[in-house]
Amino acid sequence: MSNDTLLSVSGVSKRFGGLQALSNVGLEIPRGHIYGLIGPNGAGKTTFFNVITGLYTPDAGQFVLDGQPYEPSAVHRVAEAGVARTFQNIRLFGDMTALENVMVGRHVRTHAGVFGAIFRTRRQQIEEVQIQHRALELLDYVGIARYAHYRARTLSYGDQRRLEIARALATDPKLLALDEPAAGMNATEKLKLRELLASIRDSGKTLLLIEHDVKLVMGLCDRVTVLDYGKVIAQGRPAEVQRDPAVIEAYLGTAAAH
């Protein structure tokens, strides 16, 4: 693994009963890139994504994150290691404000501890102010600062997606993993999402995303891995992947080659 690689994954296999969902799958995500993971329904991309983010335990595989062995064996360990994710089905705290949702994410990186939280030590009070300030910065960054004190469930669908991204960014992740971030969005919302993700990448963050919108992936991602039947069939830059005969046959369709 080169110094330019943030996450290296190799030899990942996963079986569910009689179904071999993944077979010897791997990828290398360069720092500061947006990396796309695509494939037809049932290709194994969601399973692979869930393995990387600690929801599923693989039967085999090696993981290196930022030059260190990485064991995605539990969601909290994944967050501590520096991987934050969003979900295809939005998972916000609906009755909490947008600000409170982001503050929850930020608490992963706090230091005051249980004692400070119970007894409201000075250190804990200072830290809480810092958390709130950072949460407001992130809400402004994703474009929804004006909704800071609105309950999350009252936000529009697109703004809820932005809130999820802000909450994930609050953990200061090395890798931001996005599960179908454009799902359910209209054309205008997708355009704004594309601008936001590009901005996050340009700020130095590294992103991994699963996405069904091939046009969005090919126009946004720096590199792409394509899965089919639990195996890697192509990897490379979007223009290269689009021309790959195996990809055209399995996923993109003949029309995509033109």
Side-chain angles (χ1 to χ4, degrees):
M1 187 181 83
S2 73
N3 291 333
D4 292 333
T5 300
L6 176 68
L7 177 66
S8 176
V9 181
S10 60
V12 171
S13 296
K14 179 66 177 177
R15 177 182 290 274
F16 296 101
L19 173 65
Q20 187 68 44
L22 298 171
S23 299
N24 195 33
V25 176
L27 54 72
E28 288 198 354
I29 302 179
R31 300 176 191 275
H33 278 49
I34 301 178
Y35 201 106
L37 184 61
I38 63 173
N41 289 332
K45 57 187 182 297
T46 299
T47 299
F48 187 45
F49 190 89
N50 285 339
V51 164
I52 291 173
T53 56
L55 284 183
Y56 295 160
T57 302
D59 301 324
Q62 293 79 45
F63 305 82
V64 178
L65 178 67
D66 200 15
Q68 299 296 320
Y70 168 58
E71 296 183 11
S73 55
V75 173
H76 71 279
R77 289 181 181 172
V78 167
E80 290 168 358
V83 177
R85 69 165 291 173
T86 65
F87 291 84
Q88 182 177 357
N89 299 316
I90 294 173
R91 298 188 182 184
L92 295 169
F93 299 105
D95 286 324
M96 293 171 63
T97 66
L99 178 62
E100 289 167 342
N101 268 272
V102 180
M103 290 177 68
V104 167
R106 188 64 187 164
H107 274 94
V108 171
R109 300 295 178 216
T110 58
H111 305 286
V114 175
F115 179 87
I118 293 173
F119 294 101
R120 298 288 294 174
T121 63
R122 177 167 175 76
R123 180 183 178 186
Q124 195 273 340
Q125 293 175 42
I126 292 172
E127 193 168 60
E128 197 70 13
V129 170
Q130 293 171 340
I131 290 168
Q132 186 179 59
H133 179 70
R134 179 57 178 155
L136 285 168
E137 285 182 338
L138 287 168
L139 288 173
D140 184 57
Y141 180 70
V142 303
I144 57 171
R146 62 191 179 278
Y147 302 129
H149 300 292
Y150 286 58
R151 290 187 180 184
R153 61 179 172 79
T154 67
L155 272 58
S156 70
Y157 183 84
D159 286 340
Q160 286 187 23
R161 286 283 185 198
R162 288 172 174 270
L163 177 55
E164 266 206 322
I165 292 171
R167 185 174 64 181
L169 288 172
T171 69
D172 281 341
K174 297 174 182 177
L175 177 68
L176 177 62
L178 306 172
D179 186 359
E180 298 281 358
M185 286 188 172
N186 60 38
T188 301
E189 289 171 334
K190 285 183 181 181
L191 179 60
K192 290 181 178 179
L193 175 69
R194 176 175 172 168
E195 292 171 351
L196 173 60
L197 298 185
S199 173
I200 294 170
R201 185 261 320 274
D202 294 344
S203 75
K205 292 290 185 184
T206 306
L207 296 86
L208 168 66
L209 64 104
I210 298 178
E211 183 52 62
H212 272 106
D213 189 324
V214 176
K215 183 178 179 181
L216 177 67
V217 169
M218 296 304 177
L220 178 64
C221 292
D222 301 292
R223 298 187 68 83
V224 178
T225 285
V226 186
L227 297 180
D228 195 25
Y229 294 106
K231 297 180 179 179
V232 174
I233 61 169
Q235 289 182 323
R237 299 186 182 280
E240 299 167 347
V241 168
Q242 281 181 298
R243 294 193 298 267
D244 191 297
V247 176
I248 294 169
E249 179 181 356
Y251 186 56
L252 295 174
T254 305
H258 303 289

